[in-house]
Amino acid sequence: MNILNFEDYIIPLDDWIETVVDWLVANYRSQFQLIKWPVEQTLGSIDWFLNVLPPIVVIILLALAAWRVSSWKLGVFTAVTMTFIGFLGLWEDSMTTLAMVLSAVVFCTIVGIPTGILAARSDRFEQVIRPVLDAMQTTPAFVYLVPVVMLFSIGTVAGVIATIVFAMPPIIRLTNLGIRQTPRELVEAAVAFGATPWQVLRRVQLPLAKATIMAGLNQTIMMSLSMVVIAALIGAGGLGVAVFQGLNSLQVGLAGIGGLAIVLLAIVLDRITQSMGKEVQK
C-alpha cells in the first residue's frame, strides 16, 4: 500500500476553508458590517477633508509638515512632487489613496501599539502572536481579498480593511522590540524609586522605544501604500485604479503614470516619517 499516493489521499483543506468562510458569512455578516462602520466613517472623513481643500492648500500643508520635521529641502521636494502628481491628472486619485493609507495607519496604530506592548510584557503572549504575525506577513496580498469581499463586500472600505490586516505586523513587531530593548537598569531604577508598571511604561519604556516604534510606523505606511494598489482589484478607488485599468486595456502610459504617482507619493511619505523618527531620536 503506497500511502504517498497523493492523488488518492488529498486533504480537502480548500473545502474546509470555504465551509468556514460560508459559515461566517451566513451567521456573522451583520457583526462584520459593524466592524466596517468605524473604518467607513474614518475613511469618509479623511477623504472628504483632503478632497474638499483646494490642491494648493493641501500642497502647502504637506510641504510645511515636511519642512517642520526635516528641512526646507524636503519641503520643496514635497511641494514639487505633489504639484507634479496634480499635473499628471491624478490629484483626486492621489488624495483618495492618501486617505486610504492614513485610515489604515490610524487603525494599525490603535490596535498595533497596545498589542506590541502586551507582547513585550508577556513572553507567552508573544509566542502565541508570533506565528499569527508570520502568517499575516507571508500570506500573499491577493489571498486577503477573497474573505474580505465575502465578509465586507467590495469597495474602498473593504480595500482599507484588507490593508489594515496586511500592514499591521510591522508596528506590532517593532513596538514589542523597542520596549524589550529598554535597558534593564533603567527599568529597575524606576521600580526602585517606586514607579508603578504604568509609570514605568509611560515615562521610561515608551519614550526610549519611540524611535523603533516610528520605524514600525514607517514600514506600516509603506505596506499600506503597496496594498491599496492591490485593493483596486476589489473596487477600491485611488491610484491603483489607474494601474489596474492601464493593465486591463494595455494602456501602458496610463499604468505608467499611475505607478509613477504611487512611487512619488511613497517617497514623500517615507521621507517625512523617517525624519519624524530621527526627530524623536534627538
Side-chain angles (χ1 to χ4, degrees):
M1 183 177 177
N2 184 8
I3 62 171
L4 294 180
N5 188 354
F6 296 128
E7 294 182 358
D8 293 336
Y9 298 99
I10 294 175
I11 301 173
L13 185 59
D14 53 343
D15 294 334
W16 298 346
I17 293 174
E18 190 170 338
T19 301
V20 169
V21 173
D22 289 342
W23 178 78
L24 288 173
V25 172
N27 295 281
Y28 295 99
R29 187 175 177 82
S30 58
Q31 284 82 353
F32 282 106
Q33 293 301 312
L34 289 177
I35 297 174
K36 183 179 173 180
W37 186 83
V39 178
E40 188 172 18
Q41 297 302 312
T42 304
L43 174 64
S45 300
I46 297 176
D47 192 32
W48 174 84
F49 179 73
L50 291 175
N51 280 296
V52 78
L53 291 176
I56 185 65
V57 176
V58 177
I59 291 171
I60 290 174
L61 290 176
L62 288 174
L64 287 175
W67 170 73
R68 175 68 182 82
V69 300
S70 180
S71 64
W72 65 269
K73 294 179 181 178
L74 184 58
V76 171
F77 173 77
T78 300
V80 171
T81 300
M82 297 307 296
T83 304
F84 179 68
I85 291 175
F87 281 121
L88 290 177
L90 297 172
W91 180 259
E92 290 187 7
D93 288 336
S94 299
M95 292 302 99
T96 300
T97 296
L98 188 58
M100 293 173 68
V101 170
L102 293 177
S103 301
V105 169
V106 165
F107 286 96
C108 285
T109 303
I110 291 173
V111 177
I113 290 180
T115 306
I117 292 171
L118 286 176
R121 287 179 167 266
S122 169
D123 291 337
R124 181 172 296 178
F125 182 70
E126 187 200 23
Q127 291 173 355
V128 170
I129 200 172
R130 186 182 296 169
V132 177
L133 297 177
D134 291 341
M136 290 167 69
Q137 279 193 292
T138 56
T139 301
F142 291 98
V143 176
Y144 287 112
L145 301 182
V146 177
V148 166
V149 168
M150 295 184 72
L151 295 171
F152 299 100
S153 72
I154 62 173
T156 305
V157 177
V160 172
I161 292 172
T163 303
I164 291 170
V165 177
F166 181 72
M168 192 175 294
I171 198 166
I172 295 176
R173 288 185 189 279
L174 289 173
T175 300
N176 174 28
L177 178 65
I179 292 177
R180 285 179 180 272
Q181 285 181 334
T182 304
R184 184 182 297 273
E185 296 80 9
L186 293 178
V187 175
E188 290 176 349
V191 173
F193 278 101
T196 63
W198 167 248
Q199 289 173 328
V200 171
L201 175 67
R202 189 166 64 89
R203 298 185 179 179
V204 178
Q205 292 175 313
L206 282 179
L208 292 174
K210 270 185 181 177
T212 310
I213 295 173
M214 287 303 299
L217 184 66
N218 174 273
Q219 292 302 307
T220 294
I221 291 174
M222 293 299 103
M223 292 183 69
S224 298
L225 198 52
S226 66
M227 186 62 188
V228 294
V229 177
I230 297 172
L233 294 172
I234 58 172
L239 293 169
V241 175
V243 177
F244 186 57
Q245 288 179 345
L247 289 175
N248 271 348
S249 57
L250 294 180
Q251 298 181 55
V252 180
L254 179 60
I257 62 172
L260 178 61
I262 291 166
V263 170
L264 293 174
L265 192 58
I267 291 173
V268 169
L269 294 177
D270 179 61
R271 298 298 182 272
I272 291 176
T273 51
Q274 277 192 7
S275 298
M276 290 169 66
K278 291 176 182 176
E279 186 75 15
V280 166
Q281 282 182 313
K282 293 179 180 177

